[in-house]
Amino acid sequence: MNKAYLGIDIGSISTKGVIIDRNNKILASGYLWTEGNPVQAVKRLLVSLKDQLDHSQYQIVGVGTTGSARKLIGVITDAVEVKNEITAHAIGTTSQYPQVRTIFEIGGQDSKIILVENGIVVDYAMNTLCAAGTGSFLSSQAARLGVAVEDFGPIALTSKHPTPIAARCTVFAESDLVHKAQIGHSKEDIIAGLCNAVVTNYLNNVGKGKRIAAPIVFQGGVSKNVGVKKAFEAATGHQVIVDANGHLTGALGVAIMVKRKGVERPFSFELAQEDFTTRGRECSGCANNCEVICVYRGNKLIDAWGNKCEKGAVKVG
Amino acid sequence: MEKRKISFPHFGSYYIPIRHLMIRGLEIDYVTPPPMTKKTLELGGKYSPDYVCAPFKIHLGCYIEAIEKGADTLIQVDGVCRLGYYGELHEQILRDLGYDVVFVNLARARNRRIRGFYEEFKKISPNLSLKKFSTALLTSIDMVESIDQIEDYLRKNIGFEQQEGSFDRLYEDYLQALSLVESRKEAKYVTSNYIKRFKEIPVNKPLKPLRVGVVGEYYSIMDGFSNHQIEREMAKMGIVVDRYLNVSNSLFHYPVKKMREYIKGYSSYDIGATGTMTLNRALKFAKRGYDGIIHVKSFGCTPEIDAMPVLQNISKDYKIPILYFSFDSQTAEAGILTRLEAFYDMMVMRKEGKA
């Protein structure tokens, strides 16, 4: 029996999972929408992964989680490693592109830049406070233009004169877009303009003051948009690599970390059949009114968090 | 006339020396605002201009909660940024809300020495004796220095305690002891006694631990509630956290000329407020080979925004990573922890890569 490692990346928009062997080879992978229910998404993910894996050859010996629901899913899967997505992405990318110097990542709600030297992360930045220039911005503008967001890239490529669109702020960009459409700019020019705006915004915010060196790898949901990729290439003057499996990088990274950690814990796909619920309860210990989240397997409390002090502590076990 | 009940917004552990100055120096009662909570932020945010810096909102929340707890007199200090206008606006907002309080705005003092402050306080305490005021002020200053000295040791060592919670427990004891201090002599005794006791706490410090320097805006950096306790969170990962900016180093001994000289190649002019100190310390941390720098400010803090491009130059020249935090009244904690965690991982990887 060979050892296999499961990495799960639960983002705000999508949930990704990979199973790797000890040579980091991907044995199974899955990608689906989180739909606001991370527990359910992971159960569906496990069902799909289970079907892909050769169970006579491989046994999963450890789970790792990353992404914004990493803690919750980490508890449910009894994960060996619960890691932030910045580190996971860096590890995942350098395992596939050892020469990489810059990683661009634009997801549904956030965007980040990671600078790498000799396979080691030397600097990073993440957007703060505002989701301008991320996937959710593109999705809402696609809806406004009556175009599927998946078609944005190919349409953008047909534009000869991208419309300049104010990139600084989503609200400004939106009113600028409406105005430009009303005075007669064509749809493909506006879409190409939006792709440029995302890139300008990114380079002026998270990329500000960072030395961008090639090779550049571009990841996250927005990397699937060829219009944005092209705009990045024009702005940086370098070729930008988009891996077909780029969306799996975070999951891959955390799976590799599980392997490196060397700690093993039993895992069973039966998890997908178990009943997990979370219940929130407001602590009335003080005016903070911390929302304490309790996680149950069946009727058994398995973990709780959210309290700022001892007053709100929930005993587990 | 009934004794006045005065209050000042929370500011780390400095409420202890402030209370001493009020009770012993002014001979009036002091109302310590209730511990800050989400409600403090909500109250402050509700009645503040939306774009004002977070400390303004936090202070306003503290004032309202202190009034509800019985305070009838409030103080605000002067500052070299928007802080200088806080008092004026706080007073106006509280009046508009219908609170009938006396407001001591030290920004109005004729001069910024003991004499000037004494004159301002005399307005609420007519029998105020300059001698008593000065004596209490000196003791309070000693208490501030004491807090700064102890907390400096805490930041550098709490991450390595062998027994979880041993530093916190002793720190609680220390604050208790400091609260009872009545004279400079006692302040001195408490300080040396507790420094000794803190040093006795067993720590597991590696030969070359990770070191992080913290720089940034005055209030957000020093008030744990405002910065979601990031220094603590960092330290607890097993890091030496070093911060120079505190009340003693900025008010009592601030070698501004020397500091400006040191950063000459990076900034020819004084940025204002804490900007010069931010750059000076960042450069020092960089030259000393620290593993990273954390820059802390409240959202919209102009002097610190001005310092940021220079920090980026320092970061590039010395290859030292800098993590920037901008706190507002509704910053989500999960995002802060994610960034801290990633910063930590990065420093570990860089260190392993170098070795």
Side-chain angles (χ1 to χ4, degrees):
Chain A
M1 198 60 120
N2 295 308
K3 287 178 181 177
Y5 309 87
L6 167 60
I8 311 176
D9 177 357
I10 321 94
S12 58
I13 307 287
S14 62
T15 295
K16 288 80 63 176
V18 294
I19 300 173
I20 56 165
D21 67 7
R22 74 165 73 86
N23 300 317
N24 299 346
K25 200 183 122 210
I26 295 179
L27 305 170
S29 70
Y31 175 64
L32 41 86
W33 300 123
T34 308
E35 291 170 345
N37 189 341
V39 177
Q40 209 47 46
V42 168
K43 282 185 175 182
R44 284 188 284 131
L45 178 76
L46 290 179
V47 170
S48 137
L49 291 176
K50 187 184 173 189
D51 292 344
Q52 298 172 46
L53 190 68
D54 180 354
H55 297 272
S56 63
Q57 291 250 7
Y58 294 98
Q59 169 64 40
I60 292 176
V61 294
V63 181
T65 60
T66 184
S68 43
R70 61 185 180 278
K71 190 170 179 182
L72 175 62
I73 303 305
V75 165
I76 287 175
T77 56
D78 197 15
V80 169
E81 185 75 278
V82 177
K83 256 304 160 197
N84 64 81
E85 49 274 32
I86 302 167
T87 308
H89 269 272
I91 304 266
T93 312
T94 50
S95 77
Q96 292 182 304
Y97 297 93
Q99 303 302 320
V100 69
R101 291 292 307 276
T102 310
I103 303 170
F104 293 158
E105 212 263 349
I106 307 183
Q109 299 280 340
D110 57 25
S111 54
K112 37 193 170 290
I113 184 167
I114 305 172
L115 304 186
V116 183
E117 262 174 46
N118 303 319
I120 293 163
V121 180
V122 288
D123 201 1
Y124 80 86
M126 200 167 167
N127 63 333
T128 48
L129 292 169
C130 171
T134 62
S136 55
F137 166 69
L138 283 179
S139 301
S140 62
Q141 298 319 315
R144 172 177 290 280
L145 294 168
V147 174
V149 72
E150 291 81 1
D151 300 334
F152 249 47
I155 295 176
L157 292 187
T158 63
S159 162
K160 297 238 161 28
H161 307 284
T163 303
I165 287 173
R168 223 183 104 54
C169 164
T170 306
V171 180
F172 291 161
E174 191 164 296
S175 46
D176 206 22
L177 181 150
V178 172
H179 172 70
K180 295 279 164 68
Q182 297 304 82
I183 62 171
H185 286 256
S186 73
K187 207 172 253 186
E188 64 268 20
D189 287 346
I190 289 177
I191 290 175
L194 275 174
C195 294
N196 288 342
V198 165
V199 167
T200 313
N201 184 293
Y202 179 91
L203 294 174
N204 283 334
N205 285 295
V206 289
K208 191 154 195 106
K210 306 276 182 240
R211 220 170 67 85
I212 294 165
I216 302 169
V217 174
F218 179 25
Q219 297 167 344
V222 176
S223 70
K224 305 280 172 197
N225 181 323
V226 286
V228 177
K229 173 182 182 273
K230 194 184 146 208
F232 263 129
E233 289 178 334
T236 59
H238 294 295
Q239 197 212 334
V240 170
I241 305 163
V242 176
D243 192 294
N245 280 332
H247 55 286
L248 300 176
T249 312
L252 175 66
V254 77
I256 293 174
M257 275 187 270
V258 172
K259 188 190 75 179
R260 283 190 196 161
K261 202 165 184 176
V263 180
E264 296 183 2
R265 270 183 217 160
F267 169 84
S268 156
F269 281 102
E270 297 309 307
L271 211 66
Q273 268 69 50
E274 283 193 57
D275 180 32
F276 291 98
T277 42
T278 54
R279 260 170 261 164
R281 109 185 147 76
E282 207 168 79
C283 171
S284 49
C286 76
N288 263 332
N289 300 121
C290 293
E291 176 111 14
V292 183
I293 304 288
C294 301
V295 186
Y296 297 86
R297 179 191 292 126
N299 286 320
K300 193 171 171 272
L301 179 71
I302 52 173
D303 205 352
W305 56 74
N307 52 307
K308 281 203 168 74
C309 74
E310 282 308 304
K311 274 186 209 159
V314 178
K315 268 226 175 95
V316 177
Chain B
M1 196 176 85
E2 237 191 275
K3 254 195 188 177
R4 293 211 160 274
K5 294 190 189 72
I6 199 163
S7 187
F8 181 73
H10 270 295
F11 184 20
S13 296
Y14 295 123
Y15 67 93
I16 296 174
I18 295 168
R19 186 172 60 195
H20 176 84
L21 178 65
M22 297 302 136
I23 293 179
R24 294 295 168 227
L26 271 68
E27 296 182 288
I28 54 181
D29 283 341
Y30 184 76
V31 175
T32 309
M36 291 195 277
T37 63
K38 223 158 55 183
K39 193 181 143 221
T40 320
L41 277 181
E42 277 167 21
L43 276 174
K46 190 170 165 191
Y47 301 116
S48 296
D50 195 26
Y51 274 85
V52 78
C53 24
F56 183 94
K57 300 177 187 176
I58 291 171
H59 281 195
L60 186 60
C62 278
Y63 283 140
I64 295 174
E65 288 185 321
I67 294 170
E68 284 166 1
K69 207 180 152 186
D72 56 17
T73 309
L74 304 170
I75 341 168
Q76 185 51 282
V77 295
D78 193 9
V80 283
C81 55
R82 272 182 249 179
L83 177 58
Y85 303 101
Y86 274 22
E88 193 85 28
L89 195 52
H90 276 139
E91 184 177 1
Q92 190 61 52
I93 292 172
L94 291 169
R95 293 245 177 286
D96 290 348
L97 287 173
Y99 292 114
D100 182 23
V101 286
V102 174
F103 207 93
V104 184
N105 183 357
L106 295 181
R108 291 207 192 102
R110 217 161 36 88
N111 73 49
R112 297 169 73 196
R113 295 176 193 286
I114 289 190
R115 184 95 220 173
F117 299 143
Y118 166 74
E119 283 171 6
E120 280 308 302
F121 283 123
K122 209 168 160 67
K123 291 178 189 164
I124 53 160
S125 190
N127 301 325
L128 182 60
S129 121
L130 181 59
K131 185 162 171 279
K132 262 188 190 156
F133 179 71
S134 312
T135 311
L137 185 63
L138 289 174
T139 309
S140 297
I141 291 175
D142 285 350
M143 290 161 94
V144 168
E145 302 242 21
S146 172
I147 292 173
D148 290 342
Q149 203 184 334
I150 297 269
E151 290 190 348
D152 186 63
Y153 185 79
L154 211 73
R155 281 191 290 272
K156 289 175 179 160
N157 292 284
I158 192 169
F160 310 96
E161 60 186 3
Q162 285 180 11
Q163 201 196 358
E164 166 108 30
S166 46
F167 273 91
D168 283 342
R169 277 194 296 276
L170 189 60
Y171 186 68
E172 283 299 314
D173 283 359
Y174 161 72
L175 289 184
Q176 274 288 326
L178 193 70
S179 303
L180 300 173
V181 160
E182 291 287 354
S183 65
R184 299 191 74 177
K185 206 176 133 197
E186 283 174 31
K188 217 171 162 183
Y189 172 73
V190 167
T191 310
S192 59
N193 179 26
Y194 276 88
I195 281 284
K196 200 176 121 235
R197 288 177 62 185
F198 271 109
K199 288 191 173 156
E200 279 164 9
I201 296 181
V203 286
N204 269 335
K205 215 172 185 172
L207 203 58
K208 284 191 171 168
L210 284 177
R211 291 176 302 166
V212 166
V214 181
V215 294
E217 172 245 310
Y218 209 76
Y219 186 78
S220 299
I221 202 175
M222 286 195 238
D223 185 66
F225 180 79
S226 301
N227 61 43
H228 302 256
Q229 310 285 356
I230 54 164
E231 287 181 337
R232 246 184 101 75
E233 297 286 346
M234 262 281 84
K236 290 263 170 170
M237 295 174 177
I239 296 176
V240 170
V241 176
D242 193 349
R243 150 155 73 78
Y244 177 80
L245 177 59
N246 55 34
V247 171
S248 356
N249 285 343
S250 59
L251 290 188
F252 312 145
H253 21 83
Y254 178 26
V256 66
K257 269 196 188 141
K258 257 168 85 184
M259 287 205 158
R260 222 177 279 155
E261 182 65 30
Y262 188 76
I263 53 167
K264 226 172 160 187
Y266 285 97
S267 166
S268 319
Y269 305 97
D270 197 10
I271 289 175
T274 40
T276 300
M277 198 187 275
T278 293
L279 298 181
N280 177 283
R281 279 299 129 171
L283 187 58
K284 240 181 202 156
F285 291 139
K287 284 190 178 170
R288 285 184 191 160
Y290 274 48
D291 299 283
I293 294 173
I294 297 188
H295 181 247
V296 175
K297 68 168 173 48
S298 54
F299 181 68
C301 169
T302 325
E304 290 300 323
I305 289 173
D306 288 346
M308 284 169 73
V310 189
L311 285 176
Q312 284 167 350
N313 290 339
I314 294 174
S315 168
K316 258 184 245 163
D317 292 351
Y318 289 87
K319 294 200 159 212
I320 181 167
I322 303 183
L323 178 61
Y324 299 91
F325 276 113
S326 194
F327 293 108
D328 194 17
S329 48
Q330 55 264 351
T331 313
E333 215 144 85
I336 298 169
L337 287 178
T338 297
R339 286 169 177 79
L340 279 182
E341 229 185 87
F343 198 64
Y344 170 79
D345 289 341
M346 175 173 73
M347 289 190 296
V348 171
M349 285 189 271
R350 280 173 66 117
K351 200 160 194 158
E352 283 169 356
K354 268 183 214 160

